[in-house]
Amino acid sequence: MALADDLPVAESIGVFVGIAGIEWLAYGYAEPLKALLAGIAAGAVIMAIRVWRRKRQKP
């Protein structure tokens, strides 16, 4: 499998939109840089888990 199969693009975008939306609704403004960093961090964690699980399943 290619690395592109492990990239969680939709999940990262969802985290970005979720954090930016909650900040905008709660505080009246959004910090896109903070939301972007959180989205990238969440994507990296999801990708690491996917790679680890795939390696663990193969004998």
Side-chain angles (χ1 to χ4, degrees):
M1 295 247 170
L3 180 64
D5 293 338
D6 294 325
L7 290 177
V9 176
E11 293 90 342
S12 298
I13 292 172
V15 170
F16 170 78
V17 170
I19 290 175
I22 292 292
E23 285 184 345
W24 181 64
L25 287 173
Y27 305 119
Y29 62 91
E31 295 182 27
L33 182 61
K34 186 167 76 170
L36 180 66
L37 292 175
I40 291 172
V45 169
I46 293 169
M47 185 175 135
I49 291 171
R50 287 180 182 174
V51 169
W52 177 72
R53 288 180 71 198
R54 182 169 295 137
K55 286 182 180 180
R56 190 170 181 222
Q57 288 177 354
K58 290 184 180 179

